[in-house]
Amino acid sequence: MTSQIPGTRTPPSPPPGPSWRGFTAAWERGFQEVYTVWLPRGRHPVTEVAIRHWQTWVRWLGPSYGPAVVSILMLGASGTDSFHADHAWLLLLIGTINGGMFAAAVLSWKFALLKADTLDELLEPCSNRDSLVSVVSTAVRHRWQAPPSILAATILWIGYAASDSKWLATFTGFVVLLNCTWALMLLVNVSYWLAIPPVLIIRLRSSRELRLRWNDPAHTSGIRTLSEGYAFPAVFLALAAFAVTVPGALDHPLFGSFLPYLYMWLLALSLWVGIATQLSLYAIVRRYRIRMLDSLASTGDLLLAENQSATLLSLIENNDQLSSTLSIYASVASSEGLPYGTALVVQYVAAIVGSVVGFLLQ
């Protein structure tokens, strides 16, 4: 029997500690608590394709078109003279906007949750990571999430009480206003969750501890998730802004005086989500690239006076290490500022400008 020689035993390595999942935990809670996500999807886990269940269709189409269908049947059966075909089309348009908001909210939130681990990895080295994630974990609480929708509905009915419109005083006007109230509450909840998460991006700009890919920071998985995640709802917002211009094509659009305010609100949100967030991400990537370039040039070999530029070629030929450093330097300097090309940004801006022109022409 061999004896164990003292000092030769390898101490057991400690079990790896659990990795930080603060962003995933906050987003998972939001997937179950956000009103415009919970209403159509229910309690289905994120990995499940909920649209395969008939209950999901009922939960989605019911809150979307249910109020419009019930209102049309009720107004049609009442035989009131104040109800016309234009009113029915308006109610169906409101239902379509409701359905679009539900779909956009679910798809956007699910996209971020399926890739939340990349954001955990991005934020893990940050000493203030819990403070960064608190932007989402605090906003998901009902005491913060519910008041904006309730306040919007209250303001709408205060305006109704102060209005001297004869049509709003009719039964049809009252029913249509109920549908608008429901749509406005959903719109405010969606707007709330479009306005809050970009604050996280702005706060990231003050952090110097993000885990970025040193030679190509724009294509770090977490940066791609943030950039694509905000670009996705920005497209839906642009489509919603275009949909608002549809009633303007009518000779006498209902609530025509309110359409410019709704359009400007959607336009402001689309710029906030689609432009402000991308500019912040670009600033983060650019700052990191400059730090890497300064680090590569810190030895002084890459710092030459203007009258010494002619000696650069011979300097490189006689220094293999400097030649390799220059190759790395060129790779970092030419890396992209955002995960996608400039063409996509130009197309998005062109769509926004086209929507503005179309609205102004009406």
Side-chain angles (χ1 to χ4, degrees):
M1 187 173 88
T2 59
S3 61
Q4 178 68 39
I5 301 176
T8 61
R9 178 177 297 176
T10 303
S13 58
S19 58
W20 185 77
R21 296 181 70 255
F23 184 86
T24 300
W27 216 254
E28 283 177 346
R29 181 182 176 188
F31 198 74
Q32 302 294 332
E33 300 294 340
V34 175
Y35 304 142
T36 48
V37 175
W38 173 79
L39 277 173
R41 188 174 174 86
R43 298 295 179 180
H44 293 287
V46 64
T47 55
E48 184 178 354
V49 183
I51 203 169
R52 294 178 180 176
H53 303 277
W54 65 268
Q55 296 95 332
T56 303
W57 288 93
V58 173
R59 295 179 66 100
W60 177 35
L61 298 178
S64 301
Y65 287 98
V69 173
V70 172
S71 298
I72 292 173
L73 294 176
M74 184 170 56
L75 291 172
S78 66
T80 176
D81 296 334
S82 59
F83 180 65
H84 304 291
D86 287 347
H87 304 146
W89 285 114
L90 176 63
L91 291 173
L92 292 176
L93 176 62
I94 293 174
T96 303
I97 294 175
N98 292 342
M101 288 190 292
F102 281 132
V106 171
L107 293 176
S108 300
W109 207 274
K110 183 177 180 179
F111 171 86
L113 188 52
L114 290 176
K115 297 188 176 184
D117 59 321
T118 63
L119 297 176
D120 290 332
E121 182 181 3
L122 179 71
L123 300 176
E124 186 175 10
C126 298
S127 56
N128 62 335
R129 60 191 184 185
D130 294 324
S131 174
L132 293 171
V133 173
S134 66
V135 173
V136 177
S137 59
T138 301
V140 78
R141 298 174 182 173
H142 297 294
R143 64 179 180 179
W144 295 103
Q145 187 181 179
S149 296
I150 298 174
L151 178 62
T154 303
I155 293 176
L156 183 64
W157 283 93
I158 291 176
Y160 168 75
S163 175
D164 57 355
S165 172
K166 295 181 179 179
W167 181 81
L168 283 177
T170 63
F171 181 57
T172 302
F174 179 80
V175 172
V176 172
L177 194 62
L178 284 175
N179 282 262
C180 292
T181 303
W182 174 242
L184 181 62
M185 294 178 69
L186 296 179
L187 175 63
V188 171
N189 186 251
V190 171
S191 301
Y192 176 81
W193 284 110
L194 287 171
I196 294 298
V199 178
L200 174 63
I201 301 292
I202 296 176
R203 297 184 64 181
L204 282 181
R205 296 181 59 177
S206 62
S207 177
R208 299 295 188 272
E209 304 168 311
L210 298 175
R211 180 173 289 163
L212 296 172
R213 187 179 297 174
W214 70 269
N215 62 329
D216 192 8
H219 288 89
T220 305
S221 298
I223 295 294
R224 289 205 311 269
T225 298
L226 289 172
S227 183
E228 296 169 1
Y230 288 117
F232 186 74
V235 174
F236 276 93
L237 278 170
L239 293 176
F242 174 77
V244 170
T245 65
V246 173
L250 304 175
D251 293 335
H252 302 285
L254 300 173
F255 299 106
S257 59
F258 296 99
L259 290 180
Y261 300 102
L262 178 58
Y263 177 79
M264 294 303 297
W265 174 244
L266 292 174
L267 182 63
L269 276 178
S270 63
L271 293 176
W272 169 250
V273 174
I275 302 298
T277 56
Q278 304 302 328
L279 288 177
S280 297
L281 289 173
Y282 178 80
I284 293 172
V285 170
R286 180 179 180 275
R287 182 190 65 205
Y288 190 80
R289 285 167 53 196
I290 292 176
R291 286 173 55 195
M292 290 298 100
L293 294 177
D294 290 343
S295 177
L296 290 171
S298 61
T299 59
D301 292 336
L302 298 181
L303 298 176
L304 295 174
E306 293 183 12
N307 58 359
Q308 294 178 295
S309 59
T311 65
L312 180 61
L313 182 59
S314 61
L315 185 63
I316 296 173
E317 292 175 348
N318 298 326
N319 191 335
D320 294 336
Q321 184 176 0
L322 180 58
S323 178
S324 301
T325 302
L326 281 174
S327 299
I328 299 173
Y329 190 96
S331 175
V332 175
S334 60
S335 61
E336 297 180 358
L338 286 173
Y340 41 78
T342 308
L344 186 59
V345 179
V346 173
Q347 292 174 9
Y348 176 76
V349 173
I352 293 293
V353 173
S355 176
V356 174
V357 171
F359 185 81
L360 294 178
L361 288 177
Q362 293 180 7

Short mmCIF file of all heavy atoms in Angstrom, two decimals, residues 81-123:
data_model
loop_
_atom_site.label_atom_id
_atom_site.label_comp_id
_atom_site.label_asym_id
_atom_site.label_seq_id
_atom_site.Cartn_x
_atom_site.Cartn_y
_atom_site.Cartn_z
N ASP A 81 -79.42 56.94 -35.70
CA ASP A 81 -79.07 57.65 -36.94
C ASP A 81 -77.65 58.20 -36.93
O ASP A 81 -77.12 58.59 -37.99
CB ASP A 81 -80.06 58.81 -37.16
CG ASP A 81 -81.49 58.32 -37.38
OD1 ASP A 81 -81.64 57.16 -37.83
OD2 ASP A 81 -82.43 59.08 -37.08
N SER A 82 -77.04 58.27 -35.77
CA SER A 82 -75.70 58.86 -35.69
C SER A 82 -74.60 57.86 -36.06
O SER A 82 -73.42 58.23 -36.12
CB SER A 82 -75.45 59.38 -34.27
OG SER A 82 -75.57 58.33 -33.32
N PHE A 83 -74.97 56.59 -36.32
CA PHE A 83 -73.98 55.56 -36.65
C PHE A 83 -73.94 55.34 -38.15
O PHE A 83 -74.96 55.04 -38.77
CB PHE A 83 -74.32 54.25 -35.92
CG PHE A 83 -73.35 53.13 -36.20
CD1 PHE A 83 -72.04 53.22 -35.79
CD2 PHE A 83 -73.78 51.99 -36.87
CE1 PHE A 83 -71.15 52.19 -36.05
CE2 PHE A 83 -72.90 50.97 -37.13
CZ PHE A 83 -71.57 51.06 -36.72
N HIS A 84 -72.74 55.50 -38.75
CA HIS A 84 -72.57 55.33 -40.19
C HIS A 84 -71.44 54.34 -40.46
O HIS A 84 -70.75 53.88 -39.54
CB HIS A 84 -72.27 56.67 -40.86
CG HIS A 84 -73.31 57.72 -40.60
ND1 HIS A 84 -74.59 57.66 -41.12
CD2 HIS A 84 -73.26 58.85 -39.83
CE1 HIS A 84 -75.28 58.71 -40.70
NE2 HIS A 84 -74.50 59.44 -39.92
N ALA A 85 -71.25 54.04 -41.75
CA ALA A 85 -70.21 53.07 -42.14
C ALA A 85 -68.82 53.56 -41.77
O ALA A 85 -67.95 52.75 -41.40
CB ALA A 85 -70.30 52.80 -43.64
N ASP A 86 -68.59 54.88 -41.84
CA ASP A 86 -67.28 55.41 -41.47
C ASP A 86 -66.93 55.12 -40.02
O ASP A 86 -65.78 54.86 -39.67
CB ASP A 86 -67.23 56.92 -41.71
CG ASP A 86 -67.16 57.27 -43.19
OD1 ASP A 86 -66.89 56.35 -44.00
OD2 ASP A 86 -67.37 58.44 -43.52
N HIS A 87 -67.96 55.12 -39.18
CA HIS A 87 -67.72 54.82 -37.77
C HIS A 87 -67.29 53.36 -37.60
O HIS A 87 -66.40 53.06 -36.79
CB HIS A 87 -68.97 55.10 -36.95
CG HIS A 87 -69.48 56.49 -37.10
ND1 HIS A 87 -70.84 56.80 -37.07
CD2 HIS A 87 -68.83 57.67 -37.30
CE1 HIS A 87 -70.99 58.11 -37.23
NE2 HIS A 87 -69.78 58.65 -37.37
N ALA A 88 -67.91 52.46 -38.35
CA ALA A 88 -67.55 51.04 -38.28
C ALA A 88 -66.11 50.82 -38.74
O ALA A 88 -65.35 50.07 -38.12
CB ALA A 88 -68.51 50.21 -39.12
N TRP A 89 -65.74 51.50 -39.83
CA TRP A 89 -64.36 51.37 -40.31
C TRP A 89 -63.37 51.93 -39.30
O TRP A 89 -62.28 51.38 -39.12
CB TRP A 89 -64.20 52.08 -41.66
CG TRP A 89 -64.79 51.34 -42.81
CD1 TRP A 89 -65.86 51.70 -43.58
CD2 TRP A 89 -64.34 50.07 -43.32
NE1 TRP A 89 -66.11 50.76 -44.54
CE2 TRP A 89 -65.20 49.75 -44.40
CE3 TRP A 89 -63.33 49.20 -42.97
CZ2 TRP A 89 -65.05 48.57 -45.14
CZ3 TRP A 89 -63.18 48.02 -43.70
CH2 TRP A 89 -64.03 47.72 -44.77
N LEU A 90 -63.74 53.00 -38.63
CA LEU A 90 -62.86 53.56 -37.62
C LEU A 90 -62.68 52.60 -36.45
O LEU A 90 -61.56 52.40 -35.96
CB LEU A 90 -63.41 54.90 -37.11
CG LEU A 90 -62.62 55.56 -35.98
CD1 LEU A 90 -61.22 55.92 -36.45
CD2 LEU A 90 -63.34 56.78 -35.45
N LEU A 91 -63.77 51.96 -36.02
CA LEU A 91 -63.66 51.00 -34.93
C LEU A 91 -62.79 49.81 -35.31
O LEU A 91 -61.99 49.33 -34.50
CB LEU A 91 -65.07 50.53 -34.54
CG LEU A 91 -65.97 51.58 -33.87
CD1 LEU A 91 -67.38 51.04 -33.69
CD2 LEU A 91 -65.39 52.02 -32.53
N LEU A 92 -62.92 49.33 -36.54
CA LEU A 92 -62.08 48.22 -36.99
C LEU A 92 -60.62 48.65 -37.12
O LEU A 92 -59.70 47.86 -36.85
CB LEU A 92 -62.59 47.69 -38.34
CG LEU A 92 -63.96 46.98 -38.29
CD1 LEU A 92 -64.40 46.59 -39.69
CD2 LEU A 92 -63.90 45.75 -37.39
N LEU A 93 -60.39 49.89 -37.54
CA LEU A 93 -59.02 50.40 -37.60
C LEU A 93 -58.40 50.46 -36.20
O LEU A 93 -57.23 50.09 -36.00
CB LEU A 93 -59.00 51.78 -38.24
CG LEU A 93 -57.63 52.49 -38.28
CD1 LEU A 93 -56.63 51.70 -39.10
CD2 LEU A 93 -57.78 53.91 -38.83
N ILE A 94 -59.20 50.89 -35.22
CA ILE A 94 -58.71 50.92 -33.84
C ILE A 94 -58.36 49.51 -33.37
O ILE A 94 -57.33 49.28 -32.73
CB ILE A 94 -59.75 51.57 -32.92
CG1 ILE A 94 -59.90 53.06 -33.26
CG2 ILE A 94 -59.38 51.39 -31.46
CD1 ILE A 94 -61.01 53.75 -32.50
N GLY A 95 -59.22 48.53 -33.73
CA GLY A 95 -58.93 47.14 -33.37
C GLY A 95 -57.65 46.64 -34.02
O GLY A 95 -56.88 45.90 -33.40
N THR A 96 -57.41 47.03 -35.28
CA THR A 96 -56.18 46.62 -35.96
C THR A 96 -54.96 47.21 -35.29
O THR A 96 -53.93 46.53 -35.13
CB THR A 96 -56.23 47.05 -37.44
OG1 THR A 96 -57.39 46.48 -38.06
CG2 THR A 96 -54.99 46.60 -38.19
N ILE A 97 -55.04 48.46 -34.89
CA ILE A 97 -53.93 49.09 -34.18
C ILE A 97 -53.69 48.39 -32.84
O ILE A 97 -52.54 48.15 -32.44
CB ILE A 97 -54.21 50.59 -33.97
CG1 ILE A 97 -54.25 51.31 -35.33
CG2 ILE A 97 -53.17 51.22 -33.07
CD1 ILE A 97 -54.63 52.77 -35.24
N ASN A 98 -54.78 48.02 -32.15
CA ASN A 98 -54.63 47.28 -30.90
C ASN A 98 -53.89 45.96 -31.12
O ASN A 98 -52.96 45.62 -30.38
CB ASN A 98 -56.00 46.99 -30.29
CG ASN A 98 -56.70 48.25 -29.80
OD1 ASN A 98 -56.07 49.29 -29.61
ND2 ASN A 98 -58.00 48.17 -29.62
N GLY A 99 -54.31 45.21 -32.15
CA GLY A 99 -53.66 43.94 -32.44
C GLY A 99 -52.19 44.12 -32.80
O GLY A 99 -51.35 43.30 -32.41
N GLY A 100 -51.89 45.17 -33.54
CA GLY A 100 -50.50 45.43 -33.89
C GLY A 100 -49.65 45.76 -32.67
O GLY A 100 -48.50 45.34 -32.56
N MET A 101 -50.23 46.51 -31.73
CA MET A 101 -49.49 46.85 -30.52
C MET A 101 -49.21 45.61 -29.68
O MET A 101 -48.11 45.43 -29.15
CB MET A 101 -50.26 47.89 -29.70
CG MET A 101 -50.25 49.28 -30.32
SD MET A 101 -50.90 50.57 -29.22
CE MET A 101 -52.63 50.11 -29.14
N PHE A 102 -50.22 44.73 -29.56
CA PHE A 102 -50.01 43.48 -28.81
C PHE A 102 -48.91 42.64 -29.46
O PHE A 102 -48.01 42.13 -28.77
CB PHE A 102 -51.31 42.68 -28.77
CG PHE A 102 -52.29 43.17 -27.73
CD1 PHE A 102 -53.62 43.36 -28.06
CD2 PHE A 102 -51.89 43.41 -26.44
CE1 PHE A 102 -54.53 43.82 -27.13
CE2 PHE A 102 -52.80 43.86 -25.48
CZ PHE A 102 -54.12 44.06 -25.83
N ALA A 103 -48.98 42.47 -30.78
CA ALA A 103 -48.00 41.64 -31.48
C ALA A 103 -46.60 42.22 -31.35
O ALA A 103 -45.63 41.50 -31.09
CB ALA A 103 -48.38 41.51 -32.96
N ALA A 104 -46.47 43.53 -31.52
CA ALA A 104 -45.16 44.18 -31.42
C ALA A 104 -44.59 44.04 -30.01
O ALA A 104 -43.38 43.78 -29.84
CB ALA A 104 -45.27 45.65 -31.81
N ALA A 105 -45.44 44.20 -28.99
CA ALA A 105 -44.96 44.10 -27.61
C ALA A 105 -44.47 42.70 -27.30
O ALA A 105 -43.39 42.51 -26.72
CB ALA A 105 -46.08 44.50 -26.64
N VAL A 106 -45.24 41.68 -27.70
CA VAL A 106 -44.86 40.30 -27.40
C VAL A 106 -43.59 39.91 -28.14
O VAL A 106 -42.65 39.34 -27.56
CB VAL A 106 -46.01 39.34 -27.77
CG1 VAL A 106 -45.54 37.89 -27.67
CG2 VAL A 106 -47.20 39.56 -26.84
N LEU A 107 -43.52 40.21 -29.43
CA LEU A 107 -42.36 39.82 -30.22
C LEU A 107 -41.09 40.54 -29.75
O LEU A 107 -40.02 39.93 -29.67
CB LEU A 107 -42.61 40.11 -31.71
CG LEU A 107 -43.70 39.26 -32.37
CD1 LEU A 107 -43.92 39.71 -33.81
CD2 LEU A 107 -43.32 37.78 -32.34
N SER A 108 -41.21 41.82 -29.44
CA SER A 108 -40.04 42.57 -28.98
C SER A 108 -39.55 42.05 -27.64
O SER A 108 -38.35 41.87 -27.42
CB SER A 108 -40.38 44.06 -28.88
OG SER A 108 -40.77 44.57 -30.13
N TRP A 109 -40.48 41.81 -26.72
CA TRP A 109 -40.08 41.35 -25.39
C TRP A 109 -39.50 39.94 -25.45
O TRP A 109 -38.52 39.62 -24.77
CB TRP A 109 -41.28 41.39 -24.44
CG TRP A 109 -40.86 41.57 -23.01
CD1 TRP A 109 -40.50 40.60 -22.13
CD2 TRP A 109 -40.72 42.81 -22.31
NE1 TRP A 109 -40.16 41.14 -20.92
CE2 TRP A 109 -40.29 42.49 -21.00
CE3 TRP A 109 -40.94 44.14 -22.65
CZ2 TRP A 109 -40.07 43.47 -20.04
CZ3 TRP A 109 -40.72 45.11 -21.70
CH2 TRP A 109 -40.30 44.77 -20.40
N LYS A 110 -40.10 39.08 -26.29
CA LYS A 110 -39.59 37.71 -26.42
C LYS A 110 -38.21 37.71 -27.07
O LYS A 110 -37.32 36.94 -26.68
CB LYS A 110 -40.55 36.88 -27.25
CG LYS A 110 -40.13 35.41 -27.39
CD LYS A 110 -41.16 34.60 -28.15
CE LYS A 110 -40.71 33.15 -28.26
NZ LYS A 110 -41.72 32.32 -28.98
N PHE A 111 -37.99 38.56 -28.06
CA PHE A 111 -36.69 38.65 -28.71
C PHE A 111 -35.60 38.98 -27.69
O PHE A 111 -34.53 38.36 -27.67
CB PHE A 111 -36.72 39.72 -29.81
CG PHE A 111 -35.37 40.03 -30.40
CD1 PHE A 111 -34.87 39.27 -31.44
CD2 PHE A 111 -34.61 41.08 -29.91
CE1 PHE A 111 -33.62 39.55 -31.98
CE2 PHE A 111 -33.37 41.38 -30.46
CZ PHE A 111 -32.88 40.60 -31.49
N ALA A 112 -35.88 39.97 -26.83
CA ALA A 112 -34.89 40.37 -25.84
C ALA A 112 -34.68 39.28 -24.79
O ALA A 112 -33.55 39.05 -24.34
CB ALA A 112 -35.32 41.67 -25.17
N LEU A 113 -35.74 38.58 -24.41
CA LEU A 113 -35.61 37.57 -23.36
C LEU A 113 -34.84 36.35 -23.85
O LEU A 113 -34.06 35.74 -23.11
CB LEU A 113 -37.00 37.15 -22.86
CG LEU A 113 -37.03 36.24 -21.63
CD1 LEU A 113 -36.20 36.84 -20.50
CD2 LEU A 113 -38.47 36.03 -21.17
N LEU A 114 -35.03 35.97 -25.11
CA LEU A 114 -34.30 34.83 -25.65
C LEU A 114 -32.80 35.11 -25.76
O LEU A 114 -31.99 34.18 -25.78
CB LEU A 114 -34.86 34.45 -27.03
CG LEU A 114 -36.26 33.84 -27.05
CD1 LEU A 114 -36.73 33.62 -28.47
CD2 LEU A 114 -36.28 32.53 -26.27
N LYS A 115 -32.43 36.38 -25.83
CA LYS A 115 -31.01 36.75 -25.92
C LYS A 115 -30.53 37.51 -24.70
O LYS A 115 -29.51 38.19 -24.75
CB LYS A 115 -30.79 37.59 -27.18
CG LYS A 115 -31.10 36.84 -28.47
CD LYS A 115 -30.67 37.65 -29.69
CE LYS A 115 -30.90 36.86 -30.97
NZ LYS A 115 -30.41 37.59 -32.16
N ALA A 116 -31.26 37.38 -23.60
CA ALA A 116 -30.90 38.14 -22.40
C ALA A 116 -29.56 37.71 -21.83
O ALA A 116 -28.89 38.50 -21.16
CB ALA A 116 -32.00 37.99 -21.35
N ASP A 117 -29.14 36.45 -22.09
CA ASP A 117 -27.86 35.99 -21.56
C ASP A 117 -26.70 36.79 -22.13
O ASP A 117 -25.66 36.96 -21.47
CB ASP A 117 -27.67 34.50 -21.83
CG ASP A 117 -27.72 34.17 -23.31
OD1 ASP A 117 -28.56 34.76 -24.03
OD2 ASP A 117 -26.94 33.32 -23.76
N THR A 118 -26.85 37.28 -23.36
CA THR A 118 -25.78 38.10 -23.95
C THR A 118 -25.64 39.43 -23.21
O THR A 118 -24.54 39.97 -23.10
CB THR A 118 -26.04 38.35 -25.43
OG1 THR A 118 -27.26 39.10 -25.59
CG2 THR A 118 -26.17 37.04 -26.19
N LEU A 119 -26.75 39.96 -22.71
CA LEU A 119 -26.70 41.20 -21.94
C LEU A 119 -26.16 40.95 -20.53
O LEU A 119 -25.47 41.80 -19.97
CB LEU A 119 -28.08 41.83 -21.87
CG LEU A 119 -28.65 42.26 -23.23
CD1 LEU A 119 -30.06 42.79 -23.08
CD2 LEU A 119 -27.77 43.32 -23.86
N ASP A 120 -26.47 39.78 -19.97
CA ASP A 120 -25.85 39.42 -18.69
C ASP A 120 -24.33 39.38 -18.82
O ASP A 120 -23.61 39.87 -17.94
CB ASP A 120 -26.36 38.06 -18.22
CG ASP A 120 -27.83 38.10 -17.79
OD1 ASP A 120 -28.28 39.17 -17.36
OD2 ASP A 120 -28.51 37.08 -17.90
N GLU A 121 -23.85 38.80 -19.90
CA GLU A 121 -22.42 38.72 -20.14
C GLU A 121 -21.81 40.11 -20.36
O GLU A 121 -20.70 40.41 -19.90
CB GLU A 121 -22.14 37.83 -21.36
CG GLU A 121 -20.66 37.65 -21.66
CD GLU A 121 -20.43 36.78 -22.88
OE1 GLU A 121 -21.44 36.37 -23.51
OE2 GLU A 121 -19.27 36.53 -23.21
N LEU A 122 -22.55 40.97 -21.06
CA LEU A 122 -22.06 42.32 -21.32
C LEU A 122 -21.93 43.14 -20.04
O LEU A 122 -20.97 43.89 -19.85
CB LEU A 122 -23.00 43.03 -22.30
CG LEU A 122 -22.69 44.47 -22.68
CD1 LEU A 122 -21.45 44.52 -23.57
CD2 LEU A 122 -23.88 45.12 -23.38
N LEU A 123 -22.89 42.98 -19.13
CA LEU A 123 -22.94 43.81 -17.92
C LEU A 123 -22.24 43.20 -16.73
O LEU A 123 -22.01 43.89 -15.73
CB LEU A 123 -24.40 44.08 -17.55
CG LEU A 123 -25.27 44.80 -18.58
CD1 LEU A 123 -26.70 44.89 -18.08
CD2 LEU A 123 -24.73 46.19 -18.86
#
